[in-house]
Amino acid sequence: MQSESQANVTERQLQWNAVKWREVESAVRNLRQRIFRATREADLKRVKSLQRLILRSQANVLLSIRKLTQVNAGKNTPGVDKLVVKTPQARTKLAQQLLKCEPWKATPARRVYIPKANGEKRPLGIPTVADRAMQAVVKSALEPFWEAKFEACSYGFRPGRSGHDAIGSIFNYARSRGKKRWIVDADIKGAFDNISHMALLELVKGFPAKELLKQWLKAGYLEKGVFHDAESGTPQGGVISPLLANIALHGMEEALGIKSGSQRNKRGLIRYADDFVIFCESKEDAEKATREITSWLVTKGLEMSVEKTRIRHLTEGFDFLGFNVRIYPAPKTSRTGWKLLIKPSNEAVKKFKRKVKAIWKAQRGEHMSALLKAFNPVIRGWTNYYRSVVSKTTFNHLDKWMFGRCVRYARFRHPAKP
């Protein structure tokens, strides 16, 4: 450990408003690309050296703090210490804290709950700002190494990939000329809350900041002032939790006997975080794949959600990421006699209506400009997400429904007018 005077050399030089962000971003991007290339070349010695370098990098610390306190949606969410970082002076102080050569001590997360679509509540663990910033620093060192190893079928919480990419891959599997028409529509029960710490730490063996990861996994959480130990799982709400979940679920293709990049596979897999679908050529193979993946998940401390896992034929259709995927008979317009349509799911439409109704209620009595300000981002975001699929009928239905709501609002505001 360095002395206090040595550890604070950076403190006298660092000024937040004087940082040249283009140079900082370029330095971090360069280090991440070098880690990625070294991993692809199987040069593990150079990988570890570069990971140590980026963990100590001032540019990485500055960029991590900037994303956390100025860019991310949760920038105003405090941890158990009730602190948020909003000023340049506070960001400078946090950077100096992270750059000190002192042992790190993780703080318990703050437990909060958010509603889920099925009426239940999802538990979140919100670390302190300092812990989240350090997690972002560690993530920059760990992510490029695993990006070079992750399976092509994984799309959730990965840079440069999205739900639309997953739906594009599903289209390739499900199109009418394909043979894989039986689907295992699967979901993992409480994936983030039940991942085995032992299995996860074994996967990151050799990573220079492994002990930090262990601290965050074992830090526990505070709920109503009571401390709870964390025996398993990685808390949702942490910066590094989605990456750790992807690491834990890496290897699913191998467990199903799928060779990445091969065109002769009898199965196909698309995974977005803990939601995944398996494409098979027969119902018997789909049942076998379900048993195989269930056994593999047990080694990770996980289990399949019985109520959400179904084996279906493509003629029945299935929902994934808010889309409905189904093939329909089309003997007159298709050579194969079938036509694939991907549309917004009925549940997604119902959820959108509930959200819009809540806005109508909350904005009752407000000026029209306030109403438009509340509605526009919601409508624009929803339509942008679903406009890339077969959405014309759905959009027309919602347009008429919204017009009816507008008429009701006008009658409420002006009951004496015709």
Side-chain angles (χ1 to χ4, degrees):
M1 187 188 301
Q2 295 182 2
S3 65
E4 186 67 17
S5 60
Q6 290 174 319
N8 289 336
V9 170
T10 312
E11 188 173 346
R12 294 191 296 271
Q13 300 173 351
L14 182 60
Q15 293 294 330
W16 189 265
N17 291 332
V19 175
K20 297 179 180 178
W21 291 109
R22 285 188 179 180
E23 295 180 6
V24 166
E25 290 172 358
S26 178
V28 175
R29 183 170 58 251
N30 181 45
L31 282 170
R32 285 171 60 91
Q33 288 173 349
R34 290 171 65 186
I35 293 171
F36 183 88
R37 287 195 299 267
T39 307
R40 283 289 175 89
E41 295 166 4
D43 190 348
L44 295 182
K45 185 176 180 181
R46 185 152 61 98
V47 168
K48 289 183 182 179
S49 177
L50 290 168
Q51 285 177 331
R52 292 190 187 96
L53 182 60
I54 197 172
L55 287 168
R56 296 193 301 266
S57 168
Q58 177 174 299
N60 187 23
V61 170
L62 293 175
L63 188 61
S64 298
I65 293 173
R66 188 188 190 203
K67 288 180 179 178
L68 179 70
T69 62
Q70 293 181 278
V71 179
N72 289 1
K75 59 188 176 183
N76 294 323
T77 306
V80 293
D81 57 1
K82 300 181 180 179
L83 294 178
V84 291
V85 175
K86 294 185 176 181
T87 64
Q89 294 77 16
R91 295 182 189 109
T92 302
K93 185 176 180 181
L94 179 58
Q96 290 163 353
Q97 179 186 349
L98 266 61
L99 287 166
K100 286 181 180 179
C101 296
E102 295 181 355
W104 190 263
K105 177 66 175 176
T107 310
R110 180 171 66 92
R111 176 55 60 93
V112 296
Y113 294 90
I114 60 172
K116 295 171 68 175
N118 58 5
E120 298 178 0
K121 291 187 176 181
R122 186 190 305 277
L124 297 184
I126 311 298
T128 61
V129 175
D131 270 322
R132 296 207 300 271
M134 183 58 81
Q135 285 184 17
V137 171
V138 173
K139 182 183 176 183
S140 287
L142 185 62
E143 189 174 56
F145 171 78
W146 279 96
E147 279 297 317
K149 300 177 67 176
F150 277 146
E151 299 156 328
C153 66
S154 170
Y155 291 92
F157 306 113
R158 292 185 60 186
R161 292 184 166 221
S162 67
H164 290 111
D165 296 319
I167 293 299
S169 293
I170 282 178
F171 174 84
N172 290 332
Y173 279 120
R175 57 188 176 181
S176 56
R177 293 185 180 181
K179 295 181 180 179
K180 303 177 181 69
R181 300 227 171 153
W182 284 94
I183 310 298
V184 181
D185 180 13
D187 184 82
I188 302 172
K189 188 176 181 179
F192 282 84
D193 299 326
N194 297 307
I195 293 172
S196 168
H197 290 172
M198 186 181 299
L200 183 55
L201 291 172
E202 182 64 26
L203 289 169
V204 296
K205 183 173 61 177
F207 178 58
K210 178 186 172 182
E211 289 303 315
L212 270 177
L213 296 177
K214 186 176 181 181
Q215 278 195 47
W216 289 319
L217 291 173
K218 301 291 186 182
Y221 61 92
L222 283 175
E223 184 176 6
K224 297 180 180 179
V226 180
F227 175 77
H228 299 267
D229 284 318
E231 299 298 331
S232 62
T234 172
Q236 296 184 65
V239 174
I240 205 168
S241 295
L243 174 60
L244 295 179
N246 272 335
I247 292 172
L249 295 173
H250 175 68
M252 197 175 282
E253 270 191 340
E254 184 180 351
L256 289 168
I258 301 172
K259 293 182 180 179
S260 185
S262 175
Q263 299 295 324
R264 299 181 179 179
N265 290 310
K266 292 185 177 180
R267 295 172 180 171
L269 172 69
I270 302 295
R271 181 174 68 82
Y272 191 95
D274 58 336
D275 294 328
F276 62 93
V277 289
I278 306 169
F279 287 80
C280 303
E281 295 182 358
S282 66
K283 186 176 181 180
E284 292 73 19
D285 190 44
E287 292 171 348
K288 183 181 178 182
T290 304
R291 292 192 296 270
E292 289 175 2
I293 204 64
T294 301
S295 301
W296 181 81
L297 286 172
V298 169
T299 64
K300 308 291 182 179
L302 302 171
E303 60 178 320
M304 299 273 273
S305 176
V306 177
E307 60 273 11
K308 293 183 180 180
T309 301
R310 297 285 186 274
I311 295 175
R312 307 173 187 269
H313 195 269
L314 269 175
T315 53
E316 301 175 58
F318 66 97
D319 292 346
F320 189 69
L321 302 181
F323 298 91
N324 178 261
V325 183
R326 186 177 175 184
I327 57 173
Y328 296 82
K332 296 182 180 179
T333 58
S334 174
R335 292 181 180 178
T336 60
W338 298 94
K339 189 173 185 178
L340 171 67
L341 294 181
I342 301 178
K343 304 182 290 186
S345 68
N346 291 333
E347 186 57 40
V349 173
K350 290 177 184 177
K351 186 177 179 182
F352 175 74
K353 286 183 176 180
R354 287 195 296 267
K355 190 171 185 178
V356 169
K357 284 180 182 178
I359 296 175
W360 279 116
K361 279 189 175 182
Q363 298 294 327
R364 179 172 286 189
E366 295 289 339
H367 192 269
M368 183 60 67
S369 60
L371 193 66
L372 294 175
K373 189 177 181 181
F375 272 126
N376 281 343
V378 174
I379 295 172
R380 189 181 297 117
W382 200 86
T383 52
N384 283 342
Y385 185 71
Y386 288 104
R387 68 179 182 177
S388 60
V389 295
V390 184
S391 306
K392 181 181 178 181
T393 303
T394 303
F395 284 0
N396 284 338
H397 164 71
L398 289 174
D399 191 46
K400 292 177 183 178
W401 177 83
M402 195 69 173
F403 179 79
R405 300 293 305 188
C406 289
V407 171
R408 289 179 62 179
Y409 180 79
R411 287 174 176 168
F412 169 78
R413 289 294 301 270
H414 307 284
K417 293 183 179 179

